[in-house]
């Protein structure tokens, strides 16, 4: 049987999932009648559903170049889930064993995903309702010392921040203007600080806004309990070198109820589910957009997918049990979005002379 030969074209096929990292899309959430817009950089379209796979790859590749990670080696890292999923993917592709030190604060679907990719999970106890960040770090250090495993230490590893250089380039390549404002969770510092540093190196005059859970100590203040996963620094946990405060122009803390309500409003408005830290960043961005100069572009770094939080952020019973289900707050956020929509309608009517 003779093969059919179609007109030649360049195939768009990869051989490794890590080759799909990057080139994530942007979605306009709202705009104002003055022409300013709020865009979401949807990092959930990366493999593993998170921005963290960018820096996981960079940390592993740099460790190979430096000789800190030998062929067939072992990687161990404390993680709330997204970094762990990224490291699990890179480890399986490059022939390493990966151990993730986790706690019950992590979303269960993140733990399931790591197991599905062959990661070994070591569980530690949380202190109350907060994340067990301090204990995870201690246990990971013990494992690394005992076994000789490579521990990337995402909070202090400069390859974390370097992993987001390509993200900055994507933002500028996909826009016909500068990024006037970039809003994102701080966490380890990598995604926000790494992106901002590269944007400015490329000539951007971006204004950077860091967002953290209420109860995180990254911006000072007393430690408290929070349920946002993947950001924050609990009491007693040293803030890492990758949090570059000189790169952050403004900082805000957002409570869990507001963060989760905003994520749910985004889901109802767009059909796109985002994580709780993305909800917190969008919450700040929605409040800031009206104050920007006409024609400005604000971008929120949405670092992971909401599908990982169907039994928490998007579950009424889970929220209600923790006093976080606030329907009035959700309605208020919805009104913010509708007010922006109305400003666009009114601007269009004025421009067309309607009612003159």
């Amino acid at each position: 049987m003779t093969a059919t030969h179609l007109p030649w074209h360049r195939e768009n096929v990869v051989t490794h999932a890590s080759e799909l990292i990057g080139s994530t899309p942007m979605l306009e959430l709202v705009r104002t009648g003055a022409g300013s817009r709020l865009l979401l950089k949807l990092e959930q379209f990366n493999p593993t559903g998170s921005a963290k796979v960018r820096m996981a790859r960079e940390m592993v590749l740099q460790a190979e170049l430096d000789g800190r990670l030998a062929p067939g080696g072992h990687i161990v890292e404390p993680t709330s889930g997204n970094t762990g999923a990224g490291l699990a993917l890179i480890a399986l592709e490059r022939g390493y064993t990966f151990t993730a030190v986790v706690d019950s604060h992590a979303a269960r679907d993140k733990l399931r995903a790591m197991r599905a990719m062959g990661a070994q999970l070591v569980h530690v106890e949380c202190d109350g309702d907060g994340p067990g960040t301090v204990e995870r770090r201690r246990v990971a250090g013990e494992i690394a010392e005992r076994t000789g495993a490579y521990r990337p230490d995402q909070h202090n590893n400069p390859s974390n921040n370097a992993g987001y250089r390509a993200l900055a380039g994507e933002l500028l390549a996909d826009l016909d203007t500068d990024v006037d404002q970039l809003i994102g969770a701080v966490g380890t510092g990598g995604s926000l600080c790494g992106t901002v540093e590269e944007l400015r190196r490329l000539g951007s005059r971006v204004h950077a806004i860091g967002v953290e859970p209420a109860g995180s100590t990254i911006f000072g203040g007393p430690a408290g309990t929070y349920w946002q996963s993947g950001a924050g620094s609990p009491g007693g946990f040293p803030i890492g070198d990758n949090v570059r405060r000189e790169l952050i122009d403004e900082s805000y803390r957002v409570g869990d109820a507001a963060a989760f309500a905003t994520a749910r409003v985004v889901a109802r408005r767009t059909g796109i589910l985002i994580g709780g830290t993305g909800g917190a960043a969008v919450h700040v961005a929605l409040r800031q957009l009206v104050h920007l100069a006409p024609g400005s572009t604000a971008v929120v770094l949405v670092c992971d997918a909401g599908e990982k939080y169907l039994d928490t952020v998007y579950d009424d019973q889970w929220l209600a049990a923790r006093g976080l289900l606030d329907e009035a707050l959700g309605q208020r956020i919805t009104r913010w979005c509708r007010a922006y929509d109305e400003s666009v309608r009114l601007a269009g009517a004025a421009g067309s002379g309607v009612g003159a």
Side-chain angles (χ1 to χ4, degrees), residues 320-339:
R322 290 156 181 80
L324 300 175
L325 184 61
D326 190 335
E327 294 183 0
L329 180 55
Q331 292 168 1
R332 190 181 316 138
I333 297 163
T334 298
R335 288 196 296 271
W336 293 351
C337 294
R338 290 175 178 168

Side-chain angles (χ1 to χ4, degrees), residues 2-355:
T2 304
T4 301
H5 294 283
L6 298 175
W8 182 88
H9 65 279
R10 183 177 180 273
E11 290 190 335
N12 184 23
V13 180
V14 301
T15 56
H16 295 89
S18 61
E19 296 176 72
L20 300 172
I21 295 172
S23 299
T24 53
M26 278 193 286
L27 173 70
E28 181 178 300
L29 180 64
V30 292
R31 67 168 51 222
T32 71
S36 295
R37 55 186 175 162
L38 174 56
L39 311 179
L40 308 183
K41 177 66 167 168
L42 297 173
E43 285 291 280
Q44 62 216 79
F45 288 96
N46 280 304
T48 74
S50 164
K52 297 280 192 174
V53 72
R54 293 180 185 261
M55 61 88 148
R57 176 177 61 180
E58 186 70 19
M59 291 191 301
V60 169
L61 294 179
Q62 191 58 52
E64 291 175 350
L65 291 174
D66 295 346
R68 291 173 290 165
L69 188 54
H74 181 194
I75 303 169
V76 61
E77 183 73 350
T79 176
S80 62
N82 283 329
T83 297
L87 286 169
L89 171 62
I90 304 304
L92 74 86
E93 283 190 353
R94 305 186 72 81
Y96 302 115
T97 300
F98 173 56
T99 299
V101 182
V102 300
D103 60 41
S104 59
H105 195 262
R108 285 181 289 179
D109 282 346
K110 294 181 183 179
L111 304 182
R112 295 185 184 114
M114 286 188 281
R115 281 200 199 93
M117 289 185 281
Q120 303 169 355
L121 303 188
V122 174
H123 291 263
V124 302
E125 294 296 322
C126 290
D127 182 13
D129 288 334
T133 312
V134 175
E135 182 65 5
R136 289 199 317 249
R137 186 184 184 97
R138 184 189 68 79
V139 171
E142 286 185 353
I143 293 172
E145 185 174 355
R146 184 177 70 251
T147 65
Y150 166 62
R151 187 160 90 80
D153 186 12
Q154 60 182 311
H155 291 271
N156 296 289
N157 191 326
S159 293
N160 177 350
N161 293 34
Y164 295 97
R165 289 173 182 158
L167 196 161
E170 290 169 26
L171 292 176
L172 296 180
D174 287 344
L175 297 169
D176 63 358
T177 184
D178 195 6
V179 178
D180 298 297
Q181 193 174 81
L182 186 71
I183 309 101
V186 178
T188 66
S191 59
L192 182 64
C193 296
T195 304
V196 169
E197 183 175 32
E198 182 65 4
L199 280 172
R200 289 176 178 163
R201 190 191 69 81
L202 294 171
S204 172
R205 301 180 64 183
V206 64
H207 182 85
I209 297 180
V211 181
E212 278 292 290
S216 169
T217 62
I218 284 180
F219 298 139
T225 298
Y226 53 87
W227 286 99
Q228 294 170 59
S229 176
S233 183
F237 187 80
I239 298 168
D241 295 339
N242 288 334
V243 177
R244 302 271 304 282
R245 288 184 175 83
E246 73 276 12
L247 296 173
I248 302 173
D249 299 300
E250 289 185 73
S251 60
Y252 293 89
R253 299 178 186 85
V254 176
D256 292 335
F260 299 160
T262 307
R264 290 159 66 100
V265 168
V266 170
R268 291 293 181 91
R269 183 177 176 88
T270 68
I272 300 289
L273 276 64
I274 66 175
T277 59
V282 172
H283 187 84
V284 171
L286 284 171
R287 300 186 70 165
Q288 292 287 309
L289 187 63
V290 70
H291 301 295
L292 297 185
S296 296
T297 295
V299 177
V300 171
L301 296 178
V302 177
C303 287
D304 74 338
E307 285 82 356
K308 303 172 184 179
Y309 309 101
L310 292 176
D311 56 358
T312 55
V313 174
Y314 296 94
D315 184 271
D316 288 359
Q317 291 182 338
W318 186 91
L319 292 173
R322 290 156 181 80
L324 300 175
L325 184 61
D326 190 335
E327 294 183 0
L329 180 55
Q331 292 168 1
R332 190 181 316 138
I333 297 163
T334 298
R335 288 196 296 271
W336 293 351
C337 294
R338 290 175 178 168
Y340 284 128
D341 296 340
E342 180 66 6
S343 76
V344 173
R345 188 190 70 80
L346 292 173
S352 63
V354 174

